[in-house]
Amino acid sequence: MSSSVFTTYLQLGFHHIFNLQAYDHLVFLLALCAPYVLQDWRRVVALVTSFTVGHSITLALATLNVVRYSPELIELLIPITIVLTCLLNLVRAGRPASRPPTRRDPTPLLLTLPNLLAALFGLIHGLGFSSYLRELLGQQSQPILELLSFNIGVELGQLLIVAIILLVGLLLLRVLNVARRDWLLVTSGAALGIALTLLVK
């Protein structure tokens, strides 16, 4: 396998996630990051890491034909993950912001409920990613390099999307003095509306 193959699939992974055609995954990332601001970057990194762990597992297993799944079921479950994330956000809206875990906090950050849910939902989204990747790969039986580079590309696109969301939030909250609760309600409400539209179409 050449470096050109790695670069090609890296770009394909990046453009697959950083693309309006992948708006269901984009909306999920918006809902996932909505409760946080730039100063909460450690929590956001932990959330994205949890999501990455989940979707990397199922992306690999499905691409290598270790697991089988129904694409129609995944298309249904992805908006459900968005709905559940938004509902969790709406429940949390208006509550006092909790402080980031300290070194004396006995619960590792990756094992908190939001991160466990992000990992669980990542398992579902990984199957969605694999549908696209398997179409690209055709009949290749063990496309390890392609799988690795595609996944890295997805992560780079995902990190860029998260950075944009946090920077937009920073602009609205700090510069335009939008209330943090309003930002959470508007973004979660918009994501919820899109997810419900996906469910009923």
Side-chain angles (χ1 to χ4, degrees):
M1 295 295 181
S2 67
S3 60
S4 63
V5 172
F6 183 91
T7 302
T8 297
Y9 279 87
L10 181 76
Q11 293 173 346
L12 287 169
F14 179 87
H15 290 298
H16 179 59
I17 187 67
F18 199 77
N19 187 319
L20 290 179
Q21 293 181 349
Y23 65 92
D24 49 352
H25 301 294
L26 299 179
V27 172
F28 176 78
L29 290 172
L30 174 62
L32 192 67
C33 297
Y36 304 100
V37 294
L38 193 58
Q39 69 188 41
D40 301 318
W41 65 269
R42 289 182 180 83
R43 291 187 173 192
V44 176
V45 168
L47 275 174
V48 173
T49 300
S50 300
F51 181 64
T52 296
V53 169
H55 75 63
S56 296
I57 291 171
T58 48
L59 175 60
L61 293 178
T63 303
L64 297 174
N65 294 313
V66 176
V67 298
R68 304 279 182 171
Y69 64 94
S70 165
E72 293 77 15
L73 178 60
I74 297 305
E75 288 182 8
L76 174 66
L77 290 178
I78 286 176
I80 289 177
T81 65
I82 301 171
V83 169
L84 293 176
T85 304
C86 291
L87 291 177
L88 181 61
N89 289 348
L90 295 175
V91 168
R92 295 167 62 184
R95 292 182 180 176
S98 57
R99 292 178 299 177
T102 65
R103 293 180 181 178
R104 291 176 292 180
D105 191 333
T107 304
L109 187 56
L110 290 176
L111 297 182
T112 60
L113 178 60
N115 292 284
L116 293 175
L117 286 176
L120 175 62
F121 294 161
L123 295 173
I124 297 170
H125 284 253
L127 295 175
F129 294 145
S130 70
S131 297
Y132 174 74
L133 181 56
R134 290 175 69 180
E135 290 179 3
L136 293 174
L137 293 172
Q139 300 300 316
Q140 294 188 59
S141 58
Q142 293 194 339
I144 302 300
L145 180 60
E146 292 89 338
L147 174 61
L148 174 63
S149 56
F150 182 85
N151 201 44
I152 293 173
V154 168
E155 288 319 298
L156 292 176
Q158 185 173 274
L159 290 172
L160 180 56
I161 292 163
V162 169
I164 291 172
I165 293 170
L166 292 178
L167 289 173
V168 170
L170 178 67
L171 173 66
L172 294 174
L173 298 176
R174 294 288 181 87
V175 178
L176 301 180
N177 294 318
V178 174
R180 185 167 177 173
R181 180 176 180 272
D182 292 341
W183 163 253
L184 176 57
L185 289 174
V186 170
T187 53
S188 298
L192 179 60
I194 295 172
L196 292 175
T197 301
L198 290 172
L199 282 174
V200 301
K201 75 174 184 178

mmCIF file of all heavy atoms in Angstrom, residues 32-33 35-36 42-52 110 114-116 118-119:
data_model
loop_
_atom_site.group_PDB
_atom_site.id
_atom_site.type_symbol
_atom_site.label_atom_id
_atom_site.label_comp_id
_atom_site.label_asym_id
_atom_site.label_seq_id
_atom_site.Cartn_x
_atom_site.Cartn_y
_atom_site.Cartn_z
ATOM 1 N N LEU A 32 -24.010 17.502 20.664
ATOM 2 C CA LEU A 32 -23.049 16.991 21.647
ATOM 3 C C LEU A 32 -22.277 18.119 22.318
ATOM 4 O O LEU A 32 -22.009 18.080 23.523
ATOM 5 C CB LEU A 32 -22.081 16.035 20.940
ATOM 6 C CG LEU A 32 -21.176 15.173 21.813
ATOM 7 C CD1 LEU A 32 -21.993 14.152 22.594
ATOM 8 C CD2 LEU A 32 -20.142 14.465 20.944
ATOM 9 N N CYS A 33 -21.930 19.154 21.540
ATOM 10 C CA CYS A 33 -21.092 20.244 22.048
ATOM 11 C C CYS A 33 -21.891 21.421 22.594
ATOM 12 O O CYS A 33 -21.305 22.312 23.219
ATOM 13 C CB CYS A 33 -20.174 20.743 20.947
ATOM 14 S SG CYS A 33 -19.010 19.520 20.346
ATOM 15 N N PRO A 35 -23.802 22.110 25.143
ATOM 16 C CA PRO A 35 -23.749 22.550 26.548
ATOM 17 C C PRO A 35 -22.418 23.169 26.969
ATOM 18 O O PRO A 35 -22.298 23.651 28.092
ATOM 19 C CB PRO A 35 -23.986 21.243 27.334
ATOM 20 C CG PRO A 35 -24.524 20.271 26.358
ATOM 21 C CD PRO A 35 -23.919 20.655 25.048
ATOM 22 N N TYR A 36 -21.430 23.169 26.092
ATOM 23 C CA TYR A 36 -20.081 23.537 26.505
ATOM 24 C C TYR A 36 -19.584 24.791 25.798
ATOM 25 O O TYR A 36 -20.037 25.130 24.708
ATOM 26 C CB TYR A 36 -19.120 22.366 26.229
ATOM 27 C CG TYR A 36 -19.559 21.102 26.899
ATOM 28 C CD1 TYR A 36 -20.235 20.112 26.170
ATOM 29 C CD2 TYR A 36 -19.358 20.898 28.254
ATOM 30 C CE1 TYR A 36 -20.675 18.960 26.791
ATOM 31 C CE2 TYR A 36 -19.793 19.746 28.880
ATOM 32 C CZ TYR A 36 -20.458 18.773 28.147
ATOM 33 O OH TYR A 36 -20.900 17.636 28.754
ATOM 34 N N ARG A 42 -11.608 20.560 27.876
ATOM 35 C CA ARG A 42 -11.241 19.218 28.355
ATOM 36 C C ARG A 42 -12.438 18.282 28.305
ATOM 37 O O ARG A 42 -12.317 17.111 27.917
ATOM 38 C CB ARG A 42 -10.685 19.295 29.781
ATOM 39 C CG ARG A 42 -9.306 19.930 29.893
ATOM 40 C CD ARG A 42 -8.810 19.935 31.322
ATOM 41 N NE ARG A 42 -7.497 20.537 31.449
ATOM 42 C CZ ARG A 42 -7.279 21.845 31.542
ATOM 43 N NH1 ARG A 42 -8.315 22.692 31.526
ATOM 44 N NH2 ARG A 42 -6.055 22.311 31.640
ATOM 45 N N ARG A 43 -13.600 18.791 28.693
ATOM 46 C CA ARG A 43 -14.803 17.972 28.627
ATOM 47 C C ARG A 43 -15.165 17.645 27.185
ATOM 48 O O ARG A 43 -15.598 16.536 26.873
ATOM 49 C CB ARG A 43 -15.968 18.703 29.297
ATOM 50 C CG ARG A 43 -15.840 18.832 30.801
ATOM 51 C CD ARG A 43 -17.111 19.413 31.386
ATOM 52 N NE ARG A 43 -17.081 19.401 32.836
ATOM 53 C CZ ARG A 43 -18.132 19.640 33.595
ATOM 54 N NH1 ARG A 43 -19.307 19.914 33.030
ATOM 55 N NH2 ARG A 43 -18.048 19.618 34.899
ATOM 56 N N VAL A 44 -14.996 18.635 26.305
ATOM 57 C CA VAL A 44 -15.317 18.414 24.901
ATOM 58 C C VAL A 44 -14.376 17.377 24.298
ATOM 59 O O VAL A 44 -14.811 16.485 23.558
ATOM 60 C CB VAL A 44 -15.258 19.741 24.121
ATOM 61 C CG1 VAL A 44 -15.499 19.496 22.637
ATOM 62 C CG2 VAL A 44 -16.279 20.731 24.663
ATOM 63 N N VAL A 45 -13.091 17.480 24.613
ATOM 64 C CA VAL A 45 -12.129 16.491 24.128
ATOM 65 C C VAL A 45 -12.503 15.099 24.629
ATOM 66 O O VAL A 45 -12.435 14.111 23.879
ATOM 67 C CB VAL A 45 -10.697 16.866 24.566
ATOM 68 C CG1 VAL A 45 -9.729 15.703 24.330
ATOM 69 C CG2 VAL A 45 -10.225 18.108 23.821
ATOM 70 N N ALA A 46 -12.917 15.009 25.891
ATOM 71 C CA ALA A 46 -13.320 13.716 26.439
ATOM 72 C C ALA A 46 -14.558 13.177 25.720
ATOM 73 O O ALA A 46 -14.648 11.979 25.424
ATOM 74 C CB ALA A 46 -13.605 13.840 27.933
ATOM 75 N N LEU A 47 -15.513 14.057 25.425
ATOM 76 C CA LEU A 47 -16.717 13.632 24.708
ATOM 77 C C LEU A 47 -16.372 13.136 23.305
ATOM 78 O O LEU A 47 -16.835 12.073 22.875
ATOM 79 C CB LEU A 47 -17.700 14.801 24.600
ATOM 80 C CG LEU A 47 -18.644 15.041 25.773
ATOM 81 C CD1 LEU A 47 -19.438 16.322 25.535
ATOM 82 C CD2 LEU A 47 -19.595 13.861 25.961
ATOM 83 N N VAL A 48 -15.567 13.925 22.592
ATOM 84 C CA VAL A 48 -15.204 13.553 21.232
ATOM 85 C C VAL A 48 -14.387 12.264 21.228
ATOM 86 O O VAL A 48 -14.569 11.399 20.363
ATOM 87 C CB VAL A 48 -14.425 14.700 20.551
ATOM 88 C CG1 VAL A 48 -13.897 14.264 19.194
ATOM 89 C CG2 VAL A 48 -15.322 15.921 20.396
ATOM 90 N N THR A 49 -13.508 12.104 22.217
ATOM 91 C CA THR A 49 -12.729 10.871 22.336
ATOM 92 C C THR A 49 -13.641 9.674 22.559
ATOM 93 O O THR A 49 -13.460 8.619 21.945
ATOM 94 C CB THR A 49 -11.719 10.982 23.489
ATOM 95 O OG1 THR A 49 -10.824 12.067 23.244
ATOM 96 C CG2 THR A 49 -10.921 9.688 23.637
ATOM 97 N N SER A 50 -14.635 9.838 23.420
ATOM 98 C CA SER A 50 -15.582 8.755 23.680
ATOM 99 C C SER A 50 -16.352 8.393 22.416
ATOM 100 O O SER A 50 -16.536 7.216 22.088
ATOM 101 C CB SER A 50 -16.561 9.176 24.781
ATOM 102 O OG SER A 50 -15.884 9.466 25.985
ATOM 103 N N PHE A 51 -16.813 9.420 21.707
ATOM 104 C CA PHE A 51 -17.540 9.197 20.458
ATOM 105 C C PHE A 51 -16.640 8.504 19.442
ATOM 106 O O PHE A 51 -17.057 7.580 18.735
ATOM 107 C CB PHE A 51 -18.041 10.540 19.920
ATOM 108 C CG PHE A 51 -18.823 10.448 18.646
ATOM 109 C CD1 PHE A 51 -20.032 9.770 18.594
ATOM 110 C CD2 PHE A 51 -18.352 11.051 17.487
ATOM 111 C CE1 PHE A 51 -20.756 9.693 17.412
ATOM 112 C CE2 PHE A 51 -19.075 10.985 16.302
ATOM 113 C CZ PHE A 51 -20.280 10.300 16.270
ATOM 114 N N THR A 52 -15.381 8.925 19.396
ATOM 115 C CA THR A 52 -14.406 8.347 18.467
ATOM 116 C C THR A 52 -14.179 6.870 18.758
ATOM 117 O O THR A 52 -14.135 6.038 17.843
ATOM 118 C CB THR A 52 -13.070 9.101 18.558
ATOM 119 O OG1 THR A 52 -13.273 10.440 18.137
ATOM 120 C CG2 THR A 52 -12.010 8.440 17.702
ATOM 121 N N LEU A 110 -13.717 10.104 31.344
ATOM 122 C CA LEU A 110 -14.270 9.309 30.252
ATOM 123 C C LEU A 110 -15.369 8.359 30.704
ATOM 124 O O LEU A 110 -16.068 7.784 29.879
ATOM 125 C CB LEU A 110 -13.160 8.520 29.559
ATOM 126 C CG LEU A 110 -12.160 9.341 28.746
ATOM 127 C CD1 LEU A 110 -11.062 8.441 28.200
ATOM 128 C CD2 LEU A 110 -12.852 10.084 27.618
ATOM 129 N N PRO A 114 -22.380 11.410 30.318
ATOM 130 C CA PRO A 114 -22.366 11.966 28.958
ATOM 131 C C PRO A 114 -21.350 11.284 28.041
ATOM 132 O O PRO A 114 -21.616 11.063 26.863
ATOM 133 C CB PRO A 114 -22.010 13.441 29.182
ATOM 134 C CG PRO A 114 -22.456 13.731 30.577
ATOM 135 C CD PRO A 114 -22.196 12.469 31.333
ATOM 136 N N ASN A 115 -20.186 10.919 28.591
ATOM 137 C CA ASN A 115 -19.163 10.286 27.768
ATOM 138 C C ASN A 115 -19.503 8.844 27.438
ATOM 139 O O ASN A 115 -19.226 8.372 26.328
ATOM 140 C CB ASN A 115 -17.808 10.370 28.476
ATOM 141 C CG ASN A 115 -17.302 11.792 28.557
ATOM 142 O OD1 ASN A 115 -16.825 12.344 27.587
ATOM 143 N ND2 ASN A 115 -17.438 12.403 29.717
ATOM 144 N N LEU A 116 -20.119 8.148 28.369
ATOM 145 C CA LEU A 116 -20.564 6.783 28.079
ATOM 146 C C LEU A 116 -21.656 6.782 27.018
ATOM 147 O O LEU A 116 -21.682 5.921 26.130
ATOM 148 C CB LEU A 116 -21.055 6.109 29.365
ATOM 149 C CG LEU A 116 -19.974 5.844 30.420
ATOM 150 C CD1 LEU A 116 -20.601 5.282 31.694
ATOM 151 C CD2 LEU A 116 -18.912 4.882 29.887
ATOM 152 N N ALA A 118 -21.978 9.116 24.722
ATOM 153 C CA ALA A 118 -21.308 9.482 23.471
ATOM 154 C C ALA A 118 -20.646 8.257 22.840
ATOM 155 O O ALA A 118 -20.701 8.073 21.614
ATOM 156 C CB ALA A 118 -20.281 10.577 23.727
ATOM 157 N N ALA A 119 -20.027 7.411 23.660
ATOM 158 C CA ALA A 119 -19.409 6.186 23.141
ATOM 159 C C ALA A 119 -20.464 5.243 22.583
ATOM 160 O O ALA A 119 -20.281 4.645 21.513
ATOM 161 C CB ALA A 119 -18.612 5.498 24.253
#
